[in-house]
Amino acid sequence: MRLLRWIALLPLLPMLNACAGFAARQIEHPPALPHAEIDSARRMLRQMGFTHEWLGIPGGARIGIWHSPPRAFHFGVRLRFHGAGFALMIHPARIDGLAADFWPVQKLPRLPVRGSVVLLPPIGLDAAGLAVSWGAYFASHGYAVVAVDLPAGGPASMAPGYGPREARALAWLIPLLRLRGMLPAPEFLFGLSYGGDVVLFAAPRLAGITATIALAPFANAAQAIRRAPGSGLVGPRWLGALFDRATMQAAIARADRDLGIDLAGIDPAGALRRARACTLLIGGTHDEFTRVREWRRMIHGAPRAQLTLLPHTDHVLTLVRFDLLGEPLRAWMHALAIAPASGCPPFAPRSPAYRMLLPRFLPAPAAPMVPVVP
């Protein structure tokens, strides 16, 4: 009977091979936001007074950055609920029941400097999309900000490395930014998703970093890639049946060869153990790419790392919860700035006035949000 099943599957093998090839191309050349949305973010940044530059790095590649000194932007975030969605960075769209509108309206006077934040975007988003949201948020509260393009999201001319390769480039870039006076102390690294892994790998390479903050980082690159088709974030969930584990494993093997990396071996746990600066990981309990137990394993044996979990929150929503994370993050960063030698302060986000039951938001008592420490 098993032999008959294999015989029945033989005509499908070319299609499965094509699926593996398609998946490998997505790994090697991750899709980006539509040009219209990227252009909208760039126009807004120029109106706000952000500056864009291309910087060369060793090997002949270039990385794009958007930067701004601290400015009193009229920056606001409004969260509102409806059937399915929120605006990721620019305008209302539709994802999982939350709407957020970002309106940095105009360029206003500079603010006193409280420090600097280097921001790394998630996969598929370029530095402009991050600068116009979290970048403008930190700038409006006294931080000089530099948003750095990833090869997987923006037009940076470097093959994606899913963390370590970009971390090497970032470790070269930050001393250059310091020499130019663009990173006043204290310095913070801030990364979202894929960008979270980059800052985790970069932190042990950099002296002088006050703290590293990673929102929804991947615990393992290959594992996150295998889970992507069924996540509902890259297309319909039924893609998980078409791009099954064997197909994705073949795609990962091909991408490993083409990119010259080992995706299964890209695990930031070792970098966390080597980190000299305080490290804060924030993740949602409903994250589609990383399980809570995997984050807990990541911080095990890392004395300067802590994990905070957002109950009933998925991968994308973790990245945009200004309402829960913004003010507590600023307080945590300020505590480190005034007493850097006193250890890593605990972090706790604000509790919402509602409980999220994916894929909808429904009014309910908030679940407690307690930091998880190793």
Side-chain angles (χ1 to χ4, degrees):
M1 181 64 71
R2 184 174 298 175
L3 178 61
L4 291 176
R5 288 175 182 169
W6 278 107
I7 292 172
L9 287 172
L10 285 176
L12 300 178
L13 290 179
M15 185 180 72
L16 295 176
N17 186 58
C19 288
F22 174 80
R25 288 191 294 275
Q26 303 307 299
I27 298 169
E28 297 166 23
H29 307 283
L33 283 177
H35 288 295
E37 295 192 24
I38 294 173
D39 290 343
S40 174
R42 291 171 179 168
R43 285 194 301 271
M44 188 180 295
L45 287 172
R46 291 189 180 97
Q47 292 169 2
M48 295 162 64
F50 273 74
T51 301
H52 181 263
E53 292 185 58
W54 286 103
L55 299 175
I57 62 173
R62 299 186 307 160
I63 290 182
I65 63 170
W66 286 92
H67 58 92
S68 173
R71 289 190 184 277
F73 295 121
H74 176 63
F75 181 86
V77 178
R78 180 173 68 249
L79 301 180
R80 54 189 173 82
F81 308 104
H82 56 75
F86 77 93
L88 183 57
M89 312 310 175
I90 307 302
H91 58 75
R94 303 183 69 78
I95 297 179
D96 283 351
L98 171 68
D101 299 326
F102 303 86
W103 62 98
V105 175
Q106 58 183 325
K107 181 173 69 174
L108 292 170
R110 293 193 180 193
L111 296 172
V113 178
R114 300 183 63 180
S116 57
V117 183
V118 178
L119 304 101
L120 277 294
I123 199 164
L125 186 70
D126 76 341
L130 186 55
V132 82
S133 54
W134 278 109
Y137 178 84
F138 284 120
S140 70
H141 289 93
Y143 292 92
V145 296
V146 180
V148 182
D149 264 327
L150 289 173
S157 52
M158 183 173 64
Y162 286 83
R165 180 176 291 165
E166 295 86 350
R168 289 192 292 271
L170 187 62
W172 183 90
L173 180 66
I174 283 179
L176 174 63
L177 299 177
R178 288 171 177 164
L179 286 174
R180 296 176 56 180
M182 296 170 64
L183 298 180
E187 299 175 15
F188 297 90
L189 300 180
F190 182 85
L192 308 185
S193 188
Y194 185 127
D197 286 87
V198 174
V199 297
L200 293 179
F201 280 109
R205 295 174 170 269
L206 291 162
I209 295 295
T210 300
T212 302
I213 302 165
L215 272 58
F218 303 141
N220 179 271
Q223 185 71 277
I225 289 168
R226 279 193 291 268
R227 291 170 177 162
S231 69
L233 299 178
V234 298
R237 290 188 183 274
W238 55 259
L239 287 176
L242 182 60
F243 293 88
D244 60 10
R245 186 178 180 87
T247 301
M248 294 305 297
Q249 197 57 44
I252 289 168
R254 172 174 160 175
D256 281 346
R257 292 192 300 271
D258 293 346
L259 296 174
I261 58 178
D262 174 18
L263 287 162
I266 296 177
D267 184 338
L272 273 169
R273 289 191 290 270
R274 296 191 303 274
R276 291 164 285 185
C278 295
T279 306
L280 175 62
L281 272 64
I282 301 174
T285 59
H286 287 65
D287 192 285
E288 294 87 349
F289 300 108
T290 305
R291 307 290 183 258
V292 170
R293 64 178 180 273
E294 294 164 355
W295 279 321
R296 286 180 170 144
R297 281 198 297 266
M298 278 175 62
I299 68 168
H300 181 71
R304 299 185 69 78
Q306 61 179 299
L307 168 67
T308 293
L309 299 171
L310 304 182
H312 318 292
T313 304
D314 67 7
H315 186 82
V316 173
L317 292 175
T318 299
L319 309 182
V320 296
R321 294 314 302 261
F322 296 85
D323 58 327
L324 303 184
L325 301 176
E327 184 178 343
L329 277 174
R330 290 189 285 112
W332 188 79
M333 293 159 70
H334 180 64
L336 280 166
I338 61 176
S342 61
C344 302
F347 174 84
R350 294 175 59 186
S351 294
Y354 50 83
R355 165 186 273 223
M356 184 170 71
L357 302 175
L358 294 180
R360 302 277 182 175
F361 284 87
L362 300 174
M369 297 189 181
V370 181
V372 180
V373 296

